[in-house]
Amino acid sequence: MTGLRGTELSLVSLQRLHAVVLFGSPGSGKGTQAKRLTQALGIPHISTGDMLRDRIRSGTEKVSAVVANMQSGALVADDVMNAIVQKRLSEADAARGFILDGYPRTLEQAEHLGMWLQRKRISEVVIHLAVDYNVIIARLTGRRVCPLCGTLYNTVSQPAKVDGLCDRDGGKLLMRDDDRESVIRERLEAYEKQTRPVLEYFKASGHRVEEVDASQAPPDYVFKEIFQLIEPDDRPGIHG
Ligand SMILES: [Zn+2]
C-alpha cells in the first residue's frame, strides 16, 4: 500500500478523534476547562493567544509595536491566523484531536476552519461556555485585593473576616479597576459582539454547537458536562 501520507494514514486509522472548538465568555473558566480536557483526553490545547505570544517571544514574527499589542490575535490578519492555525493542527500531536481556543475570532476565520475540517472529514464539536452575565458581574465585582500582601477575597464567595480588611495584616481591601462593573460589562459586550456571529455561522452551516452553562456550577460539574458532550460513553479520567 503506497500513497498514504502520515497524516492521512493516522486519520484513516483513527477510532476517535476529539476535535473541540472552545468558546467561553469572560468569567466562564475556559482556561481551567481547557487544561482539564487536555489532561483527560491526551490531546493538545491549542491556544492562539499562547501561540502568538510564543512566536513573538521567539522572534518568529517581527516585533513591532503593533505585534507586541496583538497578543489576543485581534489585530492579526485573517489569512495569517488561518495559516498559523492550519499548520499547527497538521502537526503530529494533533492527529488524535485538539482543543482549539481563541480561534476562530472572525466569520472569515470560521469559514476557513469549517471548510478545512470538512475537507479533512473531521467532525468537530463547538462548545460554548456560556454564562449568565448578571452572575458573572456579581462574582467579578465582588473581588477584592489586599494592597499589602496581594491576598484575594470575594465579598460573596470568600469574604474577609472583618469586612473590608485583610485577615492577615489588616490592610484595607481594594477593588481593581478591571473588576469595576462598567469595565466588565464592556468586556462581556465585546465578547458577545465578536463571538455571536461566529457561533451562528457554525450552527447555520450544520456544525455541532453545544452550549454549556458555566456560570453557576462548580468547575467539576461543568467539566463533567463538557466531557459527556465530547465522549458520551466514557467517564472522565481521574485527573486533577
Ligand atoms: Zn494583606
Side-chain angles (χ1 to χ4, degrees), residues 145-151 153 165-173:
V145 62
C146 171
L148 301 178
C149 67
T151 303
Y153 296 88
L165 299 179
C166 179
D167 292 350
R168 291 184 177 178
D169 49 32
K172 204 161 181 282
L173 302 182

Side-chain angles (χ1 to χ4, degrees), residues 14-186:
L14 269 179
Q15 294 294 313
R16 289 189 232 179
L17 179 102
H18 299 103
V20 181
V21 185
L22 194 60
F23 292 94
S25 21
S28 67
K30 180 177 57 132
T32 306
Q33 297 299 341
K35 199 176 291 172
R36 295 195 57 174
L37 283 172
T38 281
Q39 288 172 345
L41 296 168
I43 55 178
H45 171 207
I46 298 177
S47 153
T48 50
D50 289 349
M51 281 166 66
L52 286 170
R53 277 187 287 275
D54 286 349
R55 289 167 76 94
I56 290 165
R57 214 175 297 130
S58 66
T60 313
E61 306 295 338
K62 285 207 173 74
V63 179
S64 67
V66 176
V67 172
N69 250 324
M70 72 187 188
Q71 295 196 331
S72 60
L75 297 174
V76 183
D78 284 334
D79 54 345
V80 174
M81 267 328 289
N82 290 341
I84 291 174
V85 171
Q86 196 169 314
K87 183 160 174 281
R88 180 63 187 89
L89 293 182
S90 307
E91 282 171 25
D93 68 333
R96 285 186 53 239
F98 47 81
I99 297 149
L100 194 50
D101 170 8
Y103 175 97
R105 298 174 72 95
T106 67
L107 211 49
E108 198 179 317
Q109 291 176 8
E111 284 166 359
H112 181 90
L113 177 68
M115 282 188 295
W116 187 81
L117 291 168
Q118 213 162 29
R119 228 169 30 240
K120 294 276 178 186
R121 295 198 166 73
I122 297 174
S123 50
E124 84 294 352
V125 52
V126 176
I127 292 184
H128 183 216
L129 302 178
V131 295
D132 178 331
Y133 286 169
N134 291 324
V135 173
I136 291 307
I137 287 167
R139 185 188 299 162
L140 296 182
T141 55
R143 292 206 291 206
R144 298 292 182 272
V145 62
C146 171
L148 301 178
C149 67
T151 303
L152 292 170
Y153 296 88
N154 192 299
T155 54
V156 182
S157 56
Q158 212 178 346
K161 289 193 185 104
V162 180
D163 190 33
L165 299 179
C166 179
D167 292 350
R168 291 184 177 178
D169 49 32
K172 204 161 181 282
L173 302 182
L174 299 175
M175 180 188 235
R176 289 183 294 205
D177 283 342
D178 279 359
D179 293 338
R180 293 189 192 284
E181 184 167 346
S182 59
V183 177
I184 292 165
R185 278 195 189 281
E186 246 170 63

